[in-house]
C-alpha cells in the first residue's frame, strides 16, 4: 500500500481524535471506521491490519509502523501519546499538523507550477507562429515576387530547422519531462530540485519560511504534549528536509546542552530572528512556549502565502508582456517588409 498523503493523514488523525475524545477505544474506533460506507476497500484493509495488531495486544504506534504507510514522525508522536495517556490530544494536534503540511505542499506547487504553465503556453504560441504562420507569409512573399530576408528570414529558418529536426526536439522534450517527473516523484530528485531552486533568493527565502513553519508547528505539538524543548527539537528534526535549517537545529541542540536558555538557543542558532525571536522570549518567560510556537507557525504560513501571491502577481504581467513583445516582434518583422512590397506595386 502506498504512503498516505497529508490529506489522508489529517482525516485519519481527525477521526481517531474524535473517537478517543468520545471515550471509545482505538479498536472500537477502527471497527467504526472500517464499517463506514464511504471508506474505500484500501482504507478498510488498512483499518483491518491495524485492528489485527491491536487484537493481538500490540500498541497503536507499533501497528502504524508495521503498515509502513504512516510517516516516522506520526509513529513517534503516537507512541508518546500512548505512553503519556494523551493520545486524543496528540491525534488532534497531528490533524492540524498534516493540514498545515498540505497547505505548505500546495503553496510550493503553486509557486512552481503556474510560471511553468505560463512559460509553456508562450512556447506553444511561438512554435505555432514559427511552424504554421511563417510559412504562410513566405508563400505570400513569393507570390509577390520577393523573399523573406532580415529578421523574418532568420525566424523562418529557425522554424524550418525545428521541422527538419522535429524528432530530435521531441526526444529532448520527452527527456525533459522524464527529468521533471524524477525531480518531483523521487526523494533524491526532490532534493536535487530544491538545491537548484535554493540558488535563487526568492526560493531560498521561501524554503526557510517553510522550514520555520514546519519546525514551529512540530515543536508546538511536542511542547503541548508536555515534553522538554530539547526532546521536542530531537523529534522535529526528522520532518525538516532543508539541510541548512537542519544544521541550525543541530547548533541549537548543542547550545541547549551547553546550558543556554531555550529562547536564546533558538535566537543564537539563527532559527528565529526579529519579531519571532522576541515572541519566543516572552513565551519562554511566561511558560507559554507552545502557544507562541503555534503563532510563529501561523505567521510563517501567512508569510509563505503572501510571498507566493506577490510573486505570482508579478510573474503574470511580466509573462504577458514578454508574450506580447515576442508575438509583436515576429509579426512586425513580416508585416513591415510586406507593406513595403505592396506599396511599391
Amino acid at each position: 500500500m502506498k504512503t498516505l498523503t497529508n490529506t489522508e493523514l489529517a482525516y485519519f488523525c481527525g477521526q481517531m481524535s474524535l473517537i478517543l475524545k468520545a471515550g471509545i477505544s482505538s479498536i472500537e474506533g477502527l471497527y467504526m471506521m472500517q464499517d463506514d460506507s464511504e471508506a474505500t476497500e484500501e482504507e478498510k484493509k488498512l483499518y483491518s491490519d491495524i485492528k489485527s495488531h491491536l487484537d493481538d495486544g500490540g500498541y497503536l504506534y507499533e501497528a502504524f509502523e508495521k503498515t509502513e504507510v504512516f510517516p516516522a514522525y506520526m509513529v513517534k508522536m503516537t507512541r508518546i501519546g500512548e505512553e503519556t495517556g494523551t493520545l486524543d490530544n496528540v491525534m488532534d494536534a497531528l490533524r492540524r499538523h498534516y493540514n498545515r503540511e498540505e497547505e505548505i505542499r500546495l503553496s510550493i506547487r503553486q509557486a512552481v507550477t503556474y510560471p511553468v504553465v505560463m512559460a509553456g503556453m508562450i512556447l506553444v504560441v511561438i512554435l505555432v507562429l514559427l511552424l504554421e504562420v511563417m510559412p504562410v507569409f513566405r508563400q505570400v512573399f513569393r507570390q509577390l515576387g520577393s523573399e523573406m530576408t532580415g529578421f523574418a528570414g532568420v525566424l523562418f529558418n529557425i522554424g524550418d530547422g525545428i521541422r527538419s529536426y522535429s524528432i530530435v526536439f521531441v526526444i529532448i522534450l520527452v527527456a525533459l519531462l522524464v527529468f521533471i517527473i524524477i525531480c518531483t516523484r523521487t526523494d533524491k530528485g526532490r532534493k536535487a530540485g530544491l538545491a537548484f531552486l535554493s540558488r535563487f533568493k526568492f526560493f531560498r527565502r521561501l524554503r526557510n519560511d517553510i522550514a520555520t513553519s514546519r519546525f514551529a508547528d512540530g515543536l508546538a505539538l511536542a511542547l503541548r504534549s508536555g515534553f522538554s524543548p530539547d526532546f521536542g527539537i530531537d523529534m522535529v528534526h526528522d520532518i525538516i528536509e532543508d539541510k541548512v535549517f537542519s544544521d541550525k537545529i543541530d547548533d541549537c541542540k548543542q547550545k541547549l546542552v551547553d546550558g543556554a536558555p531555550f529562547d536564546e538557543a533558538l535566537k543564537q542558532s539563527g532559527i528565529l530572528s526579529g519579531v519571532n525571536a522576541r515572541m519566543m522570549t516572552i513565551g519562554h518567560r511566561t511558560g507559554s512556549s507552545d502557544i507562541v510556537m503555534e503563532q510563529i507557525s501561523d505567521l510563517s504560513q501567512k508569510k509563505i502565502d503572501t510571498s507566493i501571491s506577490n510573486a505570482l502577481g508579478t510573474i503574470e504581467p511580466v509573462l504577458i508582456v514578454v508574450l506580447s513583445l515576442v508575438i509583436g516582434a515576429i509579426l512586425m518583422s513580416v508585416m513591415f517588409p510586406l507593406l513595403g512590397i505592396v506599396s511599391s506595386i
Side-chain angles (χ1 to χ4, degrees), residues 254-315:
Q254 185 58 48
K255 284 179 168 49
L256 288 172
V257 171
D258 294 339
F262 181 47
D263 56 323
E264 284 298 318
L266 291 171
K267 184 177 179 180
Q268 293 172 13
S269 60
I271 293 177
L272 298 181
S273 60
V275 176
N276 290 344
R278 291 194 292 272
M279 288 173 60
M280 193 63 239
T281 298
I282 296 172
H284 181 65
R285 292 175 180 174
T286 58
S288 54
S289 296
D290 57 332
I291 297 174
V292 172
M293 273 295 167
E294 190 170 349
Q295 291 173 347
I296 290 173
S297 181
D298 290 337
L299 288 173
S300 296
Q301 180 61 44
K302 290 178 181 177
K303 190 175 178 182
I304 293 167
D305 295 337
T306 301
S307 296
I308 291 175
S309 297
N310 292 339
L312 295 180
T314 303
I315 289 172

Side-chain angles (χ1 to χ4, degrees), residues 11 19 62 71 78-79 104 126 128 167-168 171 187 202 246 270 304 306 330 335:
Y11 173 78
I19 288 167
E62 292 176 336
T78 302
R79 179 176 184 176
I104 291 173
I126 293 173
V128 169
I167 295 177
V168 175
I171 293 173
D187 290 336
F202 170 76
S246 294
I304 293 167
T306 301
I330 293 174
M335 294 305 297

Side-chain angles (χ1 to χ4, degrees), residues 10-300:
Y11 173 78
F12 179 85
C13 293
Q15 291 290 96
M16 287 298 296
S17 175
L18 290 173
I19 288 167
L20 294 171
K21 287 183 177 180
I24 303 171
S25 67
S26 299
I27 295 179
E28 292 174 339
L30 288 166
Y31 272 111
M32 294 169 60
M33 294 168 69
Q34 189 176 8
D35 292 337
D36 187 353
S37 59
E38 296 184 1
T40 64
E41 291 301 320
E42 200 172 33
E43 290 173 337
K44 289 180 180 181
K45 184 180 183 307
L46 174 61
Y47 300 150
S48 177
D49 291 343
I50 297 173
K51 185 162 52 65
S52 297
H53 187 80
L54 293 177
D55 287 334
D56 294 337
Y59 289 98
L60 186 61
Y61 80 89
E62 292 176 336
F64 287 171
E65 194 170 24
K66 287 188 175 181
T67 61
E68 298 182 349
V69 299
F70 294 97
Y73 180 70
M74 180 173 170
V75 173
K76 288 182 181 180
M77 290 306 300
T78 302
R79 179 176 184 176
I80 290 170
E82 287 185 294
E83 291 177 349
T84 58
T86 59
L87 186 58
D88 54 343
N89 293 328
V90 167
M91 282 294 164
D92 188 48
L94 284 170
R95 174 189 61 81
R96 293 194 299 272
H97 172 74
Y98 286 111
N99 277 329
R100 178 68 52 76
E101 285 289 293
E102 182 63 14
E103 291 175 3
I104 291 173
R105 188 189 71 82
L106 292 175
S107 296
I108 297 172
R109 184 176 178 180
Q110 185 182 20
V112 175
T113 303
Y114 184 79
V116 170
V117 171
M118 287 292 292
M121 291 174 63
I122 291 175
L123 181 60
V124 168
V125 171
I126 293 173
L127 287 175
V128 169
L129 288 172
L130 293 177
L131 300 177
E132 300 296 333
V133 178
M134 295 302 287
V136 174
F137 277 111
R138 188 193 190 196
Q139 188 65 30
V140 172
F141 271 84
R142 285 186 170 179
Q143 289 175 354
L144 294 174
S146 182
E147 284 290 342
M148 296 176 69
T149 58
F151 185 53
V154 172
L155 291 175
F156 177 81
N157 290 333
I158 291 174
D160 195 43
I162 293 174
R163 279 192 299 271
S164 300
Y165 298 96
S166 57
I167 295 177
V168 175
F169 285 103
V170 169
I171 293 173
I172 293 173
L173 181 60
V174 171
L176 182 61
L177 290 175
V178 171
F179 176 74
I180 292 173
I181 291 172
I182 292 174
C183 286
T184 56
R185 298 291 182 180
T186 64
D187 290 336
K188 189 175 291 186
R190 279 194 293 269
K191 289 179 180 178
L194 288 173
F196 173 75
L197 291 175
S198 295
R199 296 181 180 182
F200 302 96
K201 184 177 180 181
F202 170 76
F203 285 102
R204 190 162 57 245
R205 187 170 61 247
L206 184 65
R207 191 177 182 185
N208 183 73
D209 291 336
I210 290 170
T212 301
S213 180
R214 285 177 173 167
F215 173 82
D217 188 52
L219 192 55
L221 172 55
L223 294 174
R224 198 180 300 117
S225 300
F227 296 100
S228 62
D230 53 343
F231 185 79
I233 287 177
D234 270 332
M235 291 184 56
V236 175
H237 190 280
D238 294 336
I239 65 173
I240 303 299
E241 298 177 353
D242 187 345
K243 179 66 170 60
V244 175
F245 202 92
S246 294
D247 292 340
K248 292 180 181 179
I249 295 176
D250 291 335
D251 185 39
C252 180
K253 286 162 59 177
Q254 185 58 48
K255 284 179 168 49
L256 288 172
V257 171
D258 294 339
F262 181 47
D263 56 323
E264 284 298 318
L266 291 171
K267 184 177 179 180
Q268 293 172 13
S269 60
I271 293 177
L272 298 181
S273 60
V275 176
N276 290 344
R278 291 194 292 272
M279 288 173 60
M280 193 63 239
T281 298
I282 296 172
H284 181 65
R285 292 175 180 174
T286 58
S288 54
S289 296
D290 57 332
I291 297 174
V292 172
M293 273 295 167
E294 190 170 349
Q295 291 173 347
I296 290 173
S297 181
D298 290 337
L299 288 173
S300 296

Side-chain angles (χ1 to χ4, degrees), residues 306-336:
T306 301
S307 296
I308 291 175
S309 297
N310 292 339
L312 295 180
T314 303
I315 289 172
E316 183 174 7
V318 169
L319 290 177
I320 291 173
V321 169
V322 170
L323 178 60
S324 301
L325 291 175
V326 170
I327 295 175
I330 293 174
L331 294 179
M332 289 302 101
S333 70
V334 176
M335 294 305 297
F336 282 132

